[in-house]
Amino acid sequence: MSNPTSPQIQPAQVDAPAKPASFTIVCEVEGFPVTVEVEGKADALKLMIARLKDIGAVPPASKPGAKAESRSGAPLCPVHHSPMKASRKPGSFFCPKRLPDGDYCPEKA
Ligand SMILES: [Zn+2]
């Protein structure tokens, strides 16, 4: 007799109509890393990106000097959504970004 495994359907994300979506924009303004959080619809996100472009913000990945750190194995920081850097300890990573209040990002992997 076979033992069929019943598929467990777990929706990864449930869209609650009342709650606006939340976006996190990571960019650089004159070389400084900036994290902007936007709540609302995609229109609000587009407006914020247009506003950021107005003040000279650039996406971090578009910087010509930025090295591609997307080697396999580098986890993404859940806060900044950017690849973490490998620390001196093999197998561990840290997020090189800073928080808005100036502290280093505590995320490690
Ligand atoms: Zn981080």
Side-chain angles (χ1 to χ4, degrees):
M1 188 187 276
S2 66
N3 189 12
T5 55
S6 61
Q8 291 193 346
I9 301 170
Q10 289 181 342
Q13 55 186 45
V14 180
D15 281 331
K19 195 181 176 195
S22 167
F23 304 97
T24 302
I25 305 170
V26 180
C27 62
E28 290 188 3
V29 181
E30 300 190 13
F32 290 90
V34 176
T35 304
V36 184
E37 291 195 15
V38 181
E39 274 199 5
K41 297 185 177 173
D43 284 351
L45 177 66
K46 284 177 69 177
L47 282 173
M48 179 58 75
I49 289 175
R51 181 81 188 98
L52 287 168
K53 282 182 182 173
D54 274 355
I55 63 172
V58 294
S62 77
K63 278 198 8 171
K67 291 177 188 168
E69 281 287 333
S70 56
R71 269 188 292 170
S72 63
L76 290 179
C77 171
V79 178
H80 296 107
H81 305 286
S82 59
M84 291 183 173
K85 292 202 164 211
S87 82
R88 290 179 196 168
K89 223 191 291 179
S92 62
F93 296 83
F94 69 96
C95 177
K97 304 271 183 190
R98 280 180 187 256
L99 299 176
D101 60 6
D103 281 325
Y104 281 111
C105 179
E107 294 294 336
K108 288 184 172 59

